[in-house]
Amino acid sequence: MNVKLKIALIGLLILGSHSIMAQSKTISGVITDPSGFPLPGASINVEGTQNSTSTDFDGKYSLKGVSPTDKITYSYVGLISQTITVGERNSINVTLIQSTQNLNEVVIAYGTQKRTKITGAISTVSSKDIAAVPITNAESALQGRAAGVTVVNGAPGSNPTVSIRGLATMGNSAPLYVIDGVLTGNLSGLSPNDIESISVLKDASTTALYGSKAFNGVIMVTTKKGKKGPGQLSFSTYVGGQEVTKRYNVLNTQQYLQYAKDLGSDLTARAAEFANINTNWQDQIFQTGVMQDYNLSFSNGTETSTGRYSAEYMKQDGAIINTGFERYSFRANNTQDIGKLKIGSNIGVSFSTINPERSSGGRTLLEHAIKMAPYLPIYNEDNIGGYQGPSAIDGNDAENPVRVANLGYQKINNLSIIGNIYAELEIYKGLKFRSQVSLDYYTSKDHTFIPGFQDGSYHKQAFSSTNETNSQGQTIVFDNSLTYKTTIAQKHNLEVLGVITKIDGKSQSLAAGSRYYISNEIDQLRYNEGSLGSANYEEKNLGYIARINYDYDGKYLLALSGRRDASSRFGANNRWGNFYSVAVGWNIAKESFMNNSIFSTLKLRASTGTTGNDRIDNYQYSATLLANYNYPIGGANAPGVSLGVAANPDLKWESKLDRNIGVDFGLFDDKLTGSFEYFNNKSSDILFAVPLAASVGSAGGGTQIQNIADVKVSGFEVSLGYNDRKGDFTWSAVANLGTSKNEVTSLAPGVTSVLGGPAPRAGLENFSRLEVGQPLFYFYGYQTNGIYQNQAEVDAVFGPGQTAIKPGDIKIVDRDGNKVINSEDKTNIGNPYPDFTYGLNLSAAYKNFDFNCFITGVAGNDIYNANTFDLKGMNRLFNASTDVLDRAIVQNGVVTNPNATLPRAQGADINWSSANQRYIEDGSFTRLKNIALGYTLSGDAFKPYFSKARFYVSGQNLITITNYSGLDPEIARADANANSAGIDLGRYPQPKSVIFGIDVTF
């Protein structure tokens, strides 16, 4: 029996093994995204085994050795993984849906919120949109992609000027940037390749929780995180060139010599000294700059942890000689679940070097280039330093721009560390406590070395000079929050948030300089012939925050928030400020009467609330002194001090009342989507530095910070999108438009107007003006009305012998009719802020090919073209525009060429000494910001090498349509102050560029 039993058992085992072998099979299928588009490179893995594969370019896969009891996990980066038990099936097709984060949720202050429940004004930009345009600074990705957001780019390494919903303050108008919950001032150290999404928070309902930091709106950046599934390695790179192709038309040597004769200087013999050469100085300062970028990232995740690590090297040679930007950036994002405790960190480190555009004598390189005499050579080995410049005989004090750019060097080395560490504990179902500490740390070293030189009698330096400024600072934020979410009776959804936040900031800087008369080779600071200065500050903020979000069945929405803030930038009298917001919404698409309608989304919303602003320099509430001021005592100068900033213990918070109404809609299963917004905001008690009179003890340059003005800002925003994702050919179009209008509604008692602008000089006196009933810092100057043709026309306005104005001079409009031209005749001659901004993004794909075209622009703004003043002012001898050849020519008191549009050379002071309409131009433009064509390789043939690879060619700024005569209409400000907006002093123009790139996923 034992033998028979053994034989029977063996037989059963053999039969069982045959049965199991018979059940081992091959599973095949197709993996697609929610729109039915095939997903190449998706991962397929049998749980608990090494048996895995990936999809080809058409989303197809085949997996061998699978049994009916196996569970297969299907995953793709950015989409929700699915796990399916095989069963009796031989074919499994899977549609992976977008993650809740990407599809249904938007990042807001201290958390996320479902799109269907948002009651405030938010625009989002996805990683796909960011990756479509090669950029060096992440802020640039917002240009033309978010309604109501204005972005103006600058020189390599500089931070773009960004404003949200126009100008609502007279001080710092930059938005707050938040990277993974870390408050920071810009995105310069962040690689665009690391960004998952950007949310722009525009109204008080969405920004109030950030209090004083959010006065100008908030730009929230979420970086890419690791995702559950097998590890994924990605590499991307591009290389290309950029250049400025536009030039001002200036006089050549022959024309310049004749022009100089007309102005009373015969330079024929002087030009012959240099063999009558013809230097195009603009061509000498512009170059073709090389751009290159290399990015490597790795992402992985398990059921309890995720991680993503990235490194980038980016280098951009500027389109102007000896300018450029180089950056190394590294990022590590990690999460770990330990039961009910979740911990994580987001750390970014960047090292950068900037070679800024150099200037000299208060002039930019471009200004020197357009003013420089064309008969002068670039180099002269007989001169100290090896360059040639003007001497007194030339009557022209422009500097050799090549020498300014290339002799010596300036480098700015920056280190940035931005990151946080957090822990989140689920205390009870729906109740979570989160504690987070964030750090924004930076160091900067700005070093300049200029050896001695003498390129002419005007410009020389008998010593080598070294100047260095070292600065460092940090902001540490402690956040502790408690959140409770619950649903009552399956209809009432409630979320309550409470936060205590504390901000500690400090900074210090040390500036030193020295001269060395013995050698041009020593680039070191020394005690003799030296200068030294330092500064430091500490800043503290404390905030208490509460927010309540309630909705009934997703139909009726209510959001309440409040914040109480204290800032060390105000005195004890008004240190605390209170801010709130209220928002309501009606999700009409959820109503029963909307069943089976064409609307997949339809929501009305409205919000109102306040935010505060403390963005002034530290310690402005107390008095400061100006040193190095001499007093005459006993017939001699005695060193002393003068009043710098006058104390103002009653200084208080600047506040803004936001009001917003919006509607969101989607038709035909969100194939057509859009939103409309109207906002009407009022800023009160705006902070501004008011100049002090000498009678109060100020030596000049003294100020007092006051709450001086109220401003109203209103406008509309429209966003429309269309998506067609079916078939081999797919395409989408997204358009947006935003308008903004600001007006000063009141000024402090006793203040009638305030003037501002860049450093005053001829034709550039402080002409930006603040006045009730006008836009913030509009252009204030004279209106013009042609050219006086003869003396009779002059006498008809002023009376015989009553003015220095003569035939050939500009007709300044005598607005008050008193036959005297003075400041009373000045008026509004331009507005630097656009009426609206817009963008259009077109994307298409056909099988392996993809295409993108992005257009952006602004309309309705004016630019004060100071370059036109330089080229057509004709107040003294500089090189000039070829238009001066057709200037007014006067003989015997009569203009002989009545069609001339320019006045006579060296005419009346009024022609050039004050701002007037001659220099105001329309700054509207439409720009082809990016156009790209790509091709993707994937499939079984390439699996041994990579999962997929995309090759592309892209062009930026290739076409610009504008009436502006300058090199680039993309103008922000002449300096860092809002009161110099729209003034072109030779701003670094945006170059055209063409690049070639590849993105590979392994």
Side-chain angles (χ1 to χ4, degrees), residues 1-14:
M1 291 293 294
N2 289 336
V3 174
K4 291 181 179 180
L5 180 60
K6 290 180 179 179
I7 294 174
L9 289 173
I10 292 172
L12 287 172
L13 289 172
I14 293 172

Side-chain angles (χ1 to χ4, degrees), residues 184-202:
T184 186
N186 57 68
L187 306 179
S188 61
L190 180 63
S191 168
N193 292 287
D194 287 333
I195 298 177
E196 180 69 30
S197 67
I198 300 177
S199 296
V200 182
L201 314 185
K202 306 176 188 178

Side-chain angles (χ1 to χ4, degrees), residues 191 193 234-238 293-297 311-313 950 952 997-1002:
S191 168
N193 292 287
S234 299
F235 173 75
S236 64
T237 182
Y238 66 77
D293 182 273
Y294 308 90
N295 185 274
L296 184 67
S297 65
E312 181 198 50
Y313 171 71
R950 176 178 177 263
Y952 65 91
I998 178 173
D999 300 326
V1000 185
T1001 301
F1002 297 95

Side-chain angles (χ1 to χ4, degrees), residues 746-816:
S746 67
L747 289 172
V751 180
T752 58
S753 64
V754 177
L755 288 175
R761 61 182 176 125
L764 278 174
E765 78 284 5
N766 286 333
F767 61 84
S768 295
R769 185 179 175 93
L770 186 74
E771 183 181 11
V772 172
Q774 296 286 353
L776 276 169
F777 296 114
Y778 68 92
F779 296 145
Y780 182 65
Y782 293 115
Q783 293 177 320
T784 60
N785 188 25
I787 295 172
Y788 289 106
Q789 299 295 311
N790 51 58
Q791 189 62 43
E793 288 187 3
V794 177
D795 293 342
V797 175
F798 299 102
Q802 300 301 309
T803 180
I805 295 174
K806 296 181 179 180
D809 289 333
I810 288 288
K811 287 184 179 180
I812 301 296
V813 176
D814 182 15
R815 298 187 69 249
D816 57 10

